[in-house]
Amino acid sequence: MAPNTAEAALWPAPHASGAVDATVHVPGSKSVTNRALVLASLASEPGWLRRPLRSRDTLLMAGALRAMGVEIEETVSSSSSVAGGPDGTGEAWRVLPTGLRGPATVDVGNAGTVMRFLPPVATLADGPVRFDGDPRSYERPLNGVIDALRQLGARIDDDGRGALPMTVHGSGALEGGQVAIDASSSSQFVSALLLSGPRFNQGVEVRHTGSSLPSMPHIRMTVDMLRTVGAQVDTPESGGEPNVWRVTPGALLGRDLVIEPDLSNAQPFLAAALVTGGKVVVPAWPARTTQPGDRLREIFTEMGGSCELTEYGLAFTGSGSVHGIDVDLSEVGELTPGIAAVAALADSPSTLRGVAHLRLHETDRLAALTKEINELGGDVTETADGLHIRPRRLHGGIFHTYDDHRMATAGAIIGLAVEGVQIENVATTAKTLPDFPDLWTGMLGA
């Protein structure tokens, strides 16, 4: 795993001179935006997405759907129903599901949602759809989706790799039915099949056959959003069999959906309050949500903060002390880099468990966190399924990101407390959090 060492891309991570006190308007959720785009594209009538996230991953999703024939119109409105920020204006996307067609070429970048959610959609296109992406995307597991679609009757050319690049030969329909997959490396395999399941002739029954299933909140998010657009879904939580999800075939409704703030992307800002003993307010934090980032309220409180959820949003306050934590992050693995950064600044050791699957994310996040924190003087050890972090006095240096947005924000958190930290390629945050450097410096009053 060789980091990108372009010296020209170094960003001096701002050092906090005192306690942070800020209100941060966090952009919309990537996970919700990309699921909403897929469902709206498969609907039987037009729909709206209000306050969508506009980032590399979501623009890749929109571009891919447009390549397959979906019309997505972008507007900005001052209507209160579309309000996206403190000025009362916001972006809205109108999705017109005009039919799926090929031939088409899809650039997935390094977006897991695009590379996994769209092959099932492509089986419904009238013609071949080729999938390609960044070099790292070739290394990320896709076999769960490819094997499942073949079981359901699809024809896919991948030269036996179980990975990109590949071509899905859409025939305008897919029979669907029962399928068994091992989704232990990514819950996105399950979500991918469920999202398109209502459009399959027989719907779909997905049975997970592997070991523990990571990131369950993301599957619950998928189910919740399917039900919002009129799909009938049976789940283990609703009295069904363990590890089995069933989606009944049927038309999907066009909805007017308001996208929640991305709670996982709120993590570095809440961490700033914790690390500096300050206060950060995140407006529009939902009282009920399926987003994994909502666990931050519990985790960061245990690490030394306190929070209050009001009608306006979430107010998080640091106590001036940061404590270590022993926590199972299997359901919220994407929070691991930020938690590891805070743990490196704590007053006692931490153990982060249940995240072996992070070795297959944008980069091998466990190896990357271990190397980068240790090169700043830390003491991090990889375990079979996570990290053990013993706090030590850290020093400045280059923090490499490996083209991973959550590595970049983790480095910025450390930089608040450690002078001289330089983030290599902070621009990679545009994957899910556009304008992060400006948001970060704005939080600090710079």
Side-chain angles (χ1 to χ4, degrees):
M1 179 182 62
N4 179 347
T5 56
E7 296 295 326
L10 297 181
W11 179 67
H15 183 258
S17 58
V20 168
D21 186 1
T23 295
V24 180
H25 290 267
V26 176
S29 164
K30 177 206 73 174
S31 298
V32 175
T33 298
N34 275 357
R35 283 165 172 79
L37 280 170
V38 171
L39 292 172
S41 299
L42 296 174
S44 58
E45 56 192 351
W48 285 91
L49 277 64
R50 314 283 185 178
R51 302 186 214 164
L53 173 67
R54 188 179 183 85
S55 72
R56 187 186 186 214
D57 277 17
T58 60
L59 293 176
L60 284 167
M61 179 67 83
L65 291 166
R66 286 186 177 115
M68 287 190 278
V70 178
E71 293 185 22
I72 302 174
E73 301 173 351
E74 302 179 27
T75 64
V76 176
S77 170
S78 59
S79 164
S80 60
S81 66
V82 196
D87 59 355
T89 64
E91 189 168 1
W93 294 351
R94 187 169 186 243
V95 182
L96 302 168
T98 51
L100 299 165
R101 61 177 180 269
T105 298
V106 166
D107 175 14
V108 309
N110 191 19
T113 51
V114 181
M115 72 178 72
R116 291 165 183 150
F117 291 177
L118 289 189
V121 175
T123 66
L124 304 171
D126 185 12
V129 180
R130 177 173 170 78
F131 289 82
D132 208 339
D134 297 352
R136 171 63 180 172
S137 71
Y138 293 9
E139 303 171 22
R140 300 185 68 181
L142 201 56
N143 54 297
V145 173
I146 294 172
D147 294 346
L149 291 175
R150 285 178 174 146
Q151 290 181 53
L152 297 173
R155 184 161 71 90
I156 300 173
D157 293 336
D158 68 334
D159 294 331
R161 290 182 303 271
L164 295 178
M166 69 179 188
T167 299
V168 177
H169 294 274
S171 59
L174 193 70
E175 192 60 22
Q178 297 181 348
V179 64
I181 61 170
D182 180 354
S184 55
S185 62
S186 176
S187 68
Q188 290 176 351
F189 295 163
V190 174
S191 287
L193 298 167
L194 298 183
L195 287 168
S196 293
R199 289 285 307 274
F200 299 161
N201 293 342
Q202 297 183 38
V204 71
E205 176 184 295
V206 182
R207 183 180 299 271
H208 167 60
T209 59
S211 56
S212 61
L213 192 57
S215 304
M216 276 297 298
H218 279 120
I219 295 179
R220 289 193 282 270
M221 177 187 293
T222 298
V223 170
D224 187 66
M225 294 185 67
L226 276 162
R227 288 172 174 163
T228 296
V229 297
Q232 180 179 331
V233 189
D234 296 323
T235 70
E237 292 88 350
S238 60
E241 294 180 61
N243 292 325
V244 177
W245 294 262
R246 296 184 181 88
V247 179
T248 302
L252 298 179
L253 306 174
R255 293 296 199 197
D256 193 324
L257 299 175
V258 179
I259 307 300
E260 299 172 352
D262 194 313
L263 305 188
S264 295
N265 277 342
Q267 182 183 36
F269 305 103
L270 301 186
L274 184 57
V275 168
T276 68
K279 179 180 180 179
V280 167
V281 176
V282 178
W285 192 288
R288 175 191 172 275
T289 182
T290 53
Q291 287 193 61
D294 196 43
R295 276 281 305 279
L296 287 167
R297 292 191 290 156
E298 168 196 337
I299 294 169
F300 278 173
T301 295
E302 186 174 344
M303 297 186 80
S306 62
C307 63
E308 181 184 10
L309 185 60
T310 68
E311 290 185 359
Y312 180 73
L314 182 74
F316 187 85
T317 306
S319 63
S321 298
V322 181
H323 310 312
I325 191 171
D326 187 329
V327 61
D328 184 341
L329 299 176
S330 57
E331 292 203 345
V332 292
E334 66 196 51
L335 304 180
T336 302
I339 293 170
V342 172
L345 303 170
D347 57 15
S348 58
S350 294
T351 300
L352 313 184
R353 295 178 283 107
V355 288
H357 60 285
L358 294 190
R359 295 187 169 99
L360 301 171
H361 275 220
E362 280 81 347
T363 188
D364 179 341
R365 284 179 171 164
L366 300 185
L369 286 164
T370 299
K371 182 177 185 296
E372 297 309 313
I373 295 174
N374 286 351
E375 288 194 353
L376 299 182
D379 185 0
V380 182
T381 305
E382 276 194 68
T383 66
D385 71 338
L387 300 172
H388 185 63
I389 302 167
R390 304 167 192 81
R392 292 176 57 179
R393 184 178 180 84
L394 303 181
H395 55 72
I398 297 175
F399 194 95
H400 298 99
T401 64
Y402 307 85
D403 294 323
D404 185 336
H405 55 131
R406 300 208 191 278
M407 286 296 296
T409 54
I413 292 168
I414 293 173
L416 288 174
V418 180
E419 292 193 66
V421 174
Q422 299 181 81
I423 311 297
E424 171 265 328
N425 189 19
V426 74
T428 194
T429 53
K431 185 178 195 294
T432 63
L433 187 53
D435 304 321
F436 169 75
D438 289 342
L439 285 170
W440 196 247
T441 55
M443 173 193 68
L444 295 170

